[in-house]
Amino acid sequence: MTEVVTLTKCEYLVGELNEDLQPLVDMVMRNYTEGRNMAEDPEDIREEDIRIEFTPQVQRIVKTLCDEWKTAFGQEIESCYTGRLDQDHNESVWAVVHNPGDITQLHTHETAEDYRSGAHVSAAFWIQVPPDSGDFVFQYHKNPYLLMQQTIKAQAGKFLMFDSTMPHHVTKNRSDGLRIVISMNFKFKEEE
């Protein structure tokens, strides 16, 4: 008897949301112009992250993505932001503005110190994507000797959801315009 057994697999989810993107672009650009970055140190990867408001539209997008994940994988997730007063909602939802020539370095979103309480699922929602402004790239090991890449084309209104432990980066913005994405982190919903 022959049997196929899968030890690990890592799937991602891609789709589109029917959202009015202009209010999101306006909010991100206002905060970007005001210098509302997550970190001031240019060596800190969070320096490129822009704070955004947790508006009703952003909340709706977060809920929609939670529903999309559950439909696709049968697993409930929720925003890492719980609404506590001592918690910064921008640890769970923020924006990135890529100028011409900008990239995002290879990174992951999980909390290595305490994976159980950190991000389990991450998402990108592209809200402004000029042609040739960079692509999202997963980097993964097919086996210990083969390093592979999977490229996802960015497109305004498109979302991507993936395991937070997946290493990824963004290629160089070769356009003359600004590429804007809203990034999000989710955690597995605890059973009650």
Side-chain angles (χ1 to χ4, degrees):
M1 178 176 175
T2 303
E3 178 180 8
V4 174
V5 178
T6 301
L7 294 178
T8 63
K9 69 178 179 175
C10 195
E11 300 168 311
Y12 61 88
L13 181 62
V14 178
E16 292 185 34
L17 297 181
N18 186 18
E19 285 287 332
D20 181 1
L21 302 180
Q22 195 58 53
L24 297 169
V25 170
D26 293 344
M27 173 184 51
V28 170
M29 289 308 300
R30 182 180 65 251
N31 291 346
Y32 175 73
T33 302
E34 292 173 2
R36 298 190 64 225
N37 301 60
M38 291 291 291
E40 294 181 21
D41 180 0
E43 299 299 314
D44 187 329
I45 196 166
R46 296 303 311 259
E47 189 271 339
E48 77 173 10
D49 298 342
I50 308 299
R51 293 183 173 281
I52 63 172
E53 289 79 30
F54 204 55
T55 63
Q57 184 181 22
V58 170
Q59 292 174 42
R60 183 178 63 249
I61 291 167
V62 166
K63 182 183 180 325
T64 300
L65 292 183
C66 289
D67 293 344
E68 291 283 342
W69 186 267
K70 183 176 181 187
T71 298
F73 300 112
Q75 184 177 41
E76 288 195 54
I77 60 172
E78 60 188 350
S79 171
C80 287
Y81 176 60
T82 62
R84 291 192 337 249
L85 292 177
D86 64 338
Q87 191 181 25
D88 182 351
H89 72 267
N90 286 133
E91 294 296 326
S92 297
V93 60
W94 65 96
V96 177
V97 176
H98 279 138
N99 286 287
D102 283 355
I103 64 165
T104 295
Q105 298 174 12
L106 187 69
H107 68 285
T108 60
H109 288 224
E110 86 281 3
T111 304
E113 302 84 44
D114 187 10
Y115 175 72
R116 293 171 70 93
S117 67
H120 301 121
V121 175
S122 296
F125 178 52
W126 292 281
I127 61 173
Q128 181 172 294
V129 185
D132 205 23
S133 62
D135 294 319
F136 186 102
V137 181
F138 286 119
Q139 190 174 62
Y140 64 99
H141 285 275
K142 186 170 181 164
N143 63 44
Y145 308 102
L146 291 176
L147 183 62
M148 309 293 285
Q149 293 193 76
Q150 175 73 30
T151 301
I152 291 87
K153 291 294 278 178
Q155 176 185 331
K158 183 176 177 180
F159 71 85
L160 168 67
M161 300 181 77
F162 55 95
D163 187 301
S164 298
T165 64
M166 283 292 291
H168 57 280
H169 65 94
V170 177
T171 60
K172 183 184 285 191
N173 179 355
R174 298 185 187 281
S175 78
D176 294 329
L178 300 176
R179 176 184 183 277
I180 306 173
V181 63
I182 293 179
S183 298
M184 292 162 265
N185 282 333
F186 303 89
K187 60 185 178 179
F188 298 136
K189 196 166 186 178
E190 294 183 18
E191 294 182 19
E192 299 173 13

